[in-house]
Amino acid sequence: MKKVLITGANGQLGNELRKTAPDFPSFAFEYMDADQLDLTDREAVIRFFDQHRYDYLIHCAAYTAVDKAESETDKVFLLMRRYRVYCSRSVRKIIAG
């Protein structure tokens, strides 16, 4: 069975994917949200992927406070860009063995 991690699991897209999961019985879905893993914390992300293995990652986490996005650009950047960098480095490390 293939393992799938869905980040941003309590958001709009994450919730929709959760609803469709029963239609894909050959996949084991795990759902992660900000209260379980702070995607802006580089060390936490690296530790998480050092300890957990997935076949697929569906990144649904997003900065949703649109009215604050212009004043909180650092937070937006951390979540929307840096997390992908942290994650891709962890994945490359896993692949390299």
Side-chain angles (χ1 to χ4, degrees):
M1 182 173 287
K2 298 288 185 178
K3 286 179 62 175
V4 181
L5 173 65
I6 298 178
T7 62
N10 292 334
Q12 184 176 359
L13 183 55
N15 273 312
E16 291 302 315
L17 288 172
R18 189 185 305 257
K19 290 177 192 174
T20 65
D23 296 333
F24 300 93
S26 60
F27 294 91
F29 292 92
E30 291 186 32
Y31 305 92
M32 197 67 52
D33 208 68
D35 58 341
Q36 299 160 300
L37 176 62
D38 180 358
L39 299 178
T40 65
D41 181 340
R42 178 181 183 273
E43 295 304 317
V45 171
I46 291 169
R47 270 193 315 275
F48 180 82
F49 283 103
D50 279 348
Q51 298 170 3
H52 301 86
R53 297 289 187 256
Y54 297 94
D55 298 294
Y56 301 99
L57 167 65
I58 302 175
H59 178 45
C60 299
Y63 184 88
T64 58
V66 177
D67 56 326
K68 295 180 183 179
E70 289 184 16
S71 63
E72 295 184 348
T73 55
D74 291 344
K75 285 184 180 179
V76 174
F77 180 76
L78 278 171
L79 183 58
M80 302 308 292
R81 173 134 184 356
R82 295 306 304 168
Y83 165 72
R84 291 181 296 172
V85 172
Y86 306 155
C87 183
S88 66
R89 287 182 182 158
S90 295
V91 169
R92 282 196 303 265
K93 183 175 155 185
I94 292 166
I95 291 171

